[in-house]
Amino acid sequence: MTTVPAVTHPRLVHLTKSLSPQELDSHRAQVGVRLELLVRKTDKFGWDRMDPNVRTILRKDWMDALQDFTLPEIDEACRAAVMANPDRCPNAGHIRGLILKERAAIRASLPK
């Protein structure tokens, strides 16, 4: 019996499974930069006035939640979240939800 290879899409990768430990560390750092950029755009958290230990915990939570997603996916989801609610800073769960919704649409459009 012959098996047909699964159809893949570059947006459906799990980066924690495909990147080396060094690449994953670099990727996670870039994910953390996305958080800082987002909170500075909205300044809802008072990021600069926040205790550095709290910032570190928030950054780690953000990196843990989003490390499997590509930077373009994260950037697009951040833009969409800010456009939808310009007065609110989205959290990692909001961004993750938007990315998973987009990935579901991609999966649905792939040939069966």
Side-chain angles (χ1 to χ4, degrees), residues 49-73:
R49 296 177 308 279
M50 190 180 292
D51 181 288
N53 295 320
V54 174
R55 285 196 308 254
T56 298
I57 292 167
L58 284 171
R59 192 178 299 109
K60 183 183 179 312
D61 288 348
W62 185 271
M63 292 185 303
D64 290 346
L66 301 175
Q67 68 183 355
D68 262 326
F69 306 118
T70 66
L71 295 176
E73 285 178 303

mmCIF file of all heavy atoms in Angstrom, residues 49-73:
data_model
loop_
_atom_site.group_PDB
_atom_site.id
_atom_site.type_symbol
_atom_site.label_atom_id
_atom_site.label_comp_id
_atom_site.label_asym_id
_atom_site.label_seq_id
_atom_site.Cartn_x
_atom_site.Cartn_y
_atom_site.Cartn_z
ATOM 1 N N ARG A 49 7.585 51.817 33.381
ATOM 2 C CA ARG A 49 7.443 51.999 34.822
ATOM 3 C C ARG A 49 7.269 50.674 35.559
ATOM 4 O O ARG A 49 7.321 50.622 36.775
ATOM 5 C CB ARG A 49 6.240 52.895 35.115
ATOM 6 C CG ARG A 49 6.415 54.309 34.563
ATOM 7 C CD ARG A 49 5.195 55.177 34.780
ATOM 8 N NE ARG A 49 3.932 54.612 34.316
ATOM 9 C CZ ARG A 49 3.500 54.635 33.060
ATOM 10 N NH1 ARG A 49 4.250 55.185 32.124
ATOM 11 N NH2 ARG A 49 2.340 54.122 32.733
ATOM 12 N N MET A 50 7.090 49.592 34.797
ATOM 13 C CA MET A 50 6.840 48.283 35.390
ATOM 14 C C MET A 50 8.108 47.702 36.002
ATOM 15 O O MET A 50 9.218 47.926 35.499
ATOM 16 C CB MET A 50 6.330 47.342 34.288
ATOM 17 C CG MET A 50 5.792 46.024 34.778
ATOM 18 S SD MET A 50 5.231 45.018 33.390
ATOM 19 C CE MET A 50 3.818 45.968 32.850
ATOM 20 N N ASP A 51 7.949 46.968 37.059
ATOM 21 C CA ASP A 51 9.070 46.273 37.701
ATOM 22 C C ASP A 51 9.749 45.370 36.665
ATOM 23 O O ASP A 51 9.068 44.627 35.948
ATOM 24 C CB ASP A 51 8.527 45.430 38.868
ATOM 25 C CG ASP A 51 9.621 44.695 39.598
ATOM 26 O OD1 ASP A 51 10.168 43.722 39.026
ATOM 27 O OD2 ASP A 51 9.909 45.070 40.738
ATOM 28 N N PRO A 52 11.065 45.414 36.554
ATOM 29 C CA PRO A 52 11.772 44.586 35.564
ATOM 30 C C PRO A 52 11.479 43.091 35.706
ATOM 31 O O PRO A 52 11.444 42.365 34.718
ATOM 32 C CB PRO A 52 13.245 44.878 35.823
ATOM 33 C CG PRO A 52 13.266 46.207 36.494
ATOM 34 C CD PRO A 52 11.989 46.302 37.270
ATOM 35 N N ASN A 53 11.256 42.617 36.933
ATOM 36 C CA ASN A 53 10.929 41.198 37.123
ATOM 37 C C ASN A 53 9.579 40.848 36.507
ATOM 38 O O ASN A 53 9.411 39.769 35.938
ATOM 39 C CB ASN A 53 10.937 40.835 38.612
ATOM 40 C CG ASN A 53 12.309 40.966 39.214
ATOM 41 O OD1 ASN A 53 13.308 40.602 38.601
ATOM 42 N ND2 ASN A 53 12.373 41.507 40.419
ATOM 43 N N VAL A 54 8.633 41.757 36.599
ATOM 44 C CA VAL A 54 7.317 41.547 35.998
ATOM 45 C C VAL A 54 7.441 41.538 34.481
ATOM 46 O O VAL A 54 6.845 40.695 33.798
ATOM 47 C CB VAL A 54 6.312 42.613 36.478
ATOM 48 C CG1 VAL A 54 4.986 42.504 35.744
ATOM 49 C CG2 VAL A 54 6.109 42.499 37.981
ATOM 50 N N ARG A 55 8.233 42.469 33.938
ATOM 51 C CA ARG A 55 8.456 42.486 32.483
ATOM 52 C C ARG A 55 9.062 41.167 32.012
ATOM 53 O O ARG A 55 8.667 40.627 30.977
ATOM 54 C CB ARG A 55 9.371 43.646 32.087
ATOM 55 C CG ARG A 55 8.695 44.986 32.107
ATOM 56 C CD ARG A 55 9.499 46.039 31.355
ATOM 57 N NE ARG A 55 10.877 46.138 31.768
ATOM 58 C CZ ARG A 55 11.382 47.116 32.504
ATOM 59 N NH1 ARG A 55 10.620 48.097 32.936
ATOM 60 N NH2 ARG A 55 12.654 47.122 32.811
ATOM 61 N N THR A 56 10.003 40.640 32.779
ATOM 62 C CA THR A 56 10.650 39.365 32.418
ATOM 63 C C THR A 56 9.632 38.230 32.395
ATOM 64 O O THR A 56 9.623 37.405 31.476
ATOM 65 C CB THR A 56 11.787 39.041 33.407
ATOM 66 O OG1 THR A 56 12.767 40.087 33.315
ATOM 67 C CG2 THR A 56 12.434 37.707 33.099
ATOM 68 N N ILE A 57 8.744 38.188 33.379
ATOM 69 C CA ILE A 57 7.721 37.143 33.427
ATOM 70 C C ILE A 57 6.758 37.290 32.259
ATOM 71 O O ILE A 57 6.415 36.299 31.587
ATOM 72 C CB ILE A 57 6.969 37.180 34.777
ATOM 73 C CG1 ILE A 57 7.918 36.761 35.903
ATOM 74 C CG2 ILE A 57 5.734 36.276 34.745
ATOM 75 C CD1 ILE A 57 7.386 37.063 37.298
ATOM 76 N N LEU A 58 6.318 38.509 31.975
ATOM 77 C CA LEU A 58 5.415 38.729 30.837
ATOM 78 C C LEU A 58 6.067 38.318 29.524
ATOM 79 O O LEU A 58 5.445 37.685 28.672
ATOM 80 C CB LEU A 58 4.991 40.197 30.767
ATOM 81 C CG LEU A 58 3.956 40.640 31.782
ATOM 82 C CD1 LEU A 58 3.799 42.154 31.742
ATOM 83 C CD2 LEU A 58 2.629 39.963 31.497
ATOM 84 N N ARG A 59 7.330 38.702 29.363
ATOM 85 C CA ARG A 59 8.054 38.360 28.133
ATOM 86 C C ARG A 59 8.164 36.846 27.984
ATOM 87 O O ARG A 59 7.942 36.297 26.911
ATOM 88 C CB ARG A 59 9.441 39.015 28.146
ATOM 89 C CG ARG A 59 10.156 38.961 26.819
ATOM 90 C CD ARG A 59 11.503 39.673 26.856
ATOM 91 N NE ARG A 59 11.374 41.082 27.166
ATOM 92 C CZ ARG A 59 11.747 41.650 28.317
ATOM 93 N NH1 ARG A 59 12.279 40.928 29.278
ATOM 94 N NH2 ARG A 59 11.611 42.943 28.507
ATOM 95 N N LYS A 60 8.479 36.133 29.075
ATOM 96 C CA LYS A 60 8.597 34.674 29.022
ATOM 97 C C LYS A 60 7.249 34.034 28.691
ATOM 98 O O LYS A 60 7.179 33.112 27.865
ATOM 99 C CB LYS A 60 9.130 34.118 30.342
ATOM 100 C CG LYS A 60 9.327 32.603 30.290
ATOM 101 C CD LYS A 60 9.772 32.041 31.614
ATOM 102 C CE LYS A 60 9.955 30.540 31.582
ATOM 103 N NZ LYS A 60 8.882 29.778 30.985
ATOM 104 N N ASP A 61 6.178 34.512 29.308
ATOM 105 C CA ASP A 61 4.845 33.979 29.003
ATOM 106 C C ASP A 61 4.509 34.161 27.526
ATOM 107 O O ASP A 61 3.983 33.259 26.875
ATOM 108 C CB ASP A 61 3.772 34.670 29.855
ATOM 109 C CG ASP A 61 3.815 34.261 31.309
ATOM 110 O OD1 ASP A 61 4.512 33.277 31.652
ATOM 111 O OD2 ASP A 61 3.149 34.936 32.125
ATOM 112 N N TRP A 62 4.824 35.326 27.001
ATOM 113 C CA TRP A 62 4.575 35.644 25.590
ATOM 114 C C TRP A 62 5.391 34.696 24.696
ATOM 115 O O TRP A 62 4.863 34.124 23.752
ATOM 116 C CB TRP A 62 4.957 37.104 25.371
ATOM 117 C CG TRP A 62 4.679 37.665 24.021
ATOM 118 C CD1 TRP A 62 5.503 37.639 22.954
ATOM 119 C CD2 TRP A 62 3.503 38.358 23.610
ATOM 120 N NE1 TRP A 62 4.928 38.269 21.894
ATOM 121 C CE2 TRP A 62 3.700 38.733 22.260
ATOM 122 C CE3 TRP A 62 2.320 38.706 24.237
ATOM 123 C CZ2 TRP A 62 2.742 39.428 21.538
ATOM 124 C CZ3 TRP A 62 1.377 39.409 23.509
ATOM 125 C CH2 TRP A 62 1.587 39.763 22.182
ATOM 126 N N MET A 63 6.664 34.527 25.021
ATOM 127 C CA MET A 63 7.525 33.649 24.213
ATOM 128 C C MET A 63 7.050 32.205 24.285
ATOM 129 O O MET A 63 7.028 31.509 23.266
ATOM 130 C CB MET A 63 8.980 33.771 24.663
ATOM 131 C CG MET A 63 9.581 35.124 24.357
ATOM 132 S SD MET A 63 11.348 35.303 24.734
ATOM 133 C CE MET A 63 11.435 34.918 26.457
ATOM 134 N N ASP A 64 6.653 31.736 25.464
ATOM 135 C CA ASP A 64 6.167 30.366 25.607
ATOM 136 C C ASP A 64 4.907 30.134 24.782
ATOM 137 O O ASP A 64 4.752 29.102 24.130
ATOM 138 C CB ASP A 64 5.868 30.034 27.078
ATOM 139 C CG ASP A 64 7.115 29.923 27.937
ATOM 140 O OD1 ASP A 64 8.241 29.842 27.381
ATOM 141 O OD2 ASP A 64 6.959 29.922 29.175
ATOM 142 N N ALA A 65 4.002 31.098 24.791
ATOM 143 C CA ALA A 65 2.726 30.943 24.086
ATOM 144 C C ALA A 65 2.871 31.012 22.569
ATOM 145 O O ALA A 65 2.092 30.388 21.847
ATOM 146 C CB ALA A 65 1.747 32.018 24.555
ATOM 147 N N LEU A 66 3.868 31.736 22.094
ATOM 148 C CA LEU A 66 3.947 32.019 20.652
ATOM 149 C C LEU A 66 5.177 31.441 19.960
ATOM 150 O O LEU A 66 5.364 31.655 18.765
ATOM 151 C CB LEU A 66 3.888 33.530 20.428
ATOM 152 C CG LEU A 66 2.622 34.217 20.963
ATOM 153 C CD1 LEU A 66 2.727 35.716 20.796
ATOM 154 C CD2 LEU A 66 1.386 33.662 20.293
ATOM 155 N N GLN A 67 5.994 30.676 20.653
ATOM 156 C CA GLN A 67 7.253 30.207 20.073
ATOM 157 C C GLN A 67 7.078 29.287 18.865
ATOM 158 O O GLN A 67 7.987 29.170 18.052
ATOM 159 C CB GLN A 67 8.102 29.522 21.131
ATOM 160 C CG GLN A 67 7.542 28.204 21.627
ATOM 161 C CD GLN A 67 8.375 27.603 22.727
ATOM 162 O OE1 GLN A 67 9.441 28.122 23.068
ATOM 163 N NE2 GLN A 67 7.906 26.520 23.300
ATOM 164 N N ASP A 68 5.944 28.640 18.711
ATOM 165 C CA ASP A 68 5.742 27.735 17.580
ATOM 166 C C ASP A 68 5.336 28.450 16.294
ATOM 167 O O ASP A 68 5.263 27.833 15.247
ATOM 168 C CB ASP A 68 4.679 26.687 17.905
ATOM 169 C CG ASP A 68 5.287 25.376 18.353
ATOM 170 O OD1 ASP A 68 6.373 25.022 17.845
ATOM 171 O OD2 ASP A 68 4.689 24.711 19.204
ATOM 172 N N PHE A 69 5.058 29.729 16.386
ATOM 173 C CA PHE A 69 4.555 30.461 15.239
ATOM 174 C C PHE A 69 5.651 31.315 14.609
ATOM 175 O O PHE A 69 6.558 31.783 15.284
ATOM 176 C CB PHE A 69 3.369 31.339 15.653
ATOM 177 C CG PHE A 69 2.291 30.560 16.347
ATOM 178 C CD1 PHE A 69 1.948 30.839 17.651
ATOM 179 C CD2 PHE A 69 1.632 29.530 15.706
ATOM 180 C CE1 PHE A 69 0.958 30.125 18.300
ATOM 181 C CE2 PHE A 69 0.645 28.792 16.343
ATOM 182 C CZ PHE A 69 0.305 29.091 17.638
ATOM 183 N N THR A 70 5.524 31.551 13.302
ATOM 184 C CA THR A 70 6.525 32.342 12.595
ATOM 185 C C THR A 70 6.378 33.826 12.942
ATOM 186 O O THR A 70 5.291 34.274 13.343
ATOM 187 C CB THR A 70 6.399 32.160 11.068
ATOM 188 O OG1 THR A 70 5.150 32.724 10.638
ATOM 189 C CG2 THR A 70 6.493 30.692 10.659
ATOM 190 N N LEU A 71 7.446 34.565 12.780
ATOM 191 C CA LEU A 71 7.391 36.004 13.057
ATOM 192 C C LEU A 71 6.384 36.720 12.159
ATOM 193 O O LEU A 71 5.646 37.583 12.654
ATOM 194 C CB LEU A 71 8.783 36.620 12.946
ATOM 195 C CG LEU A 71 9.788 36.120 13.995
ATOM 196 C CD1 LEU A 71 11.156 36.728 13.741
ATOM 197 C CD2 LEU A 71 9.316 36.402 15.409
ATOM 198 N N PRO A 72 6.295 36.382 10.853
ATOM 199 C CA PRO A 72 5.256 37.035 10.047
ATOM 200 C C PRO A 72 3.842 36.750 10.567
ATOM 201 O O PRO A 72 2.989 37.644 10.558
ATOM 202 C CB PRO A 72 5.465 36.448 8.643
ATOM 203 C CG PRO A 72 6.914 36.090 8.605
ATOM 204 C CD PRO A 72 7.227 35.606 10.006
ATOM 205 N N GLU A 73 3.592 35.530 11.044
ATOM 206 C CA GLU A 73 2.276 35.230 11.612
ATOM 207 C C GLU A 73 2.009 36.097 12.839
ATOM 208 O O GLU A 73 0.914 36.638 13.010
ATOM 209 C CB GLU A 73 2.191 33.767 12.049
ATOM 210 C CG GLU A 73 2.041 32.775 10.928
ATOM 211 C CD GLU A 73 2.006 31.354 11.443
ATOM 212 O OE1 GLU A 73 2.957 30.930 12.136
ATOM 213 O OE2 GLU A 73 1.014 30.655 11.145
#
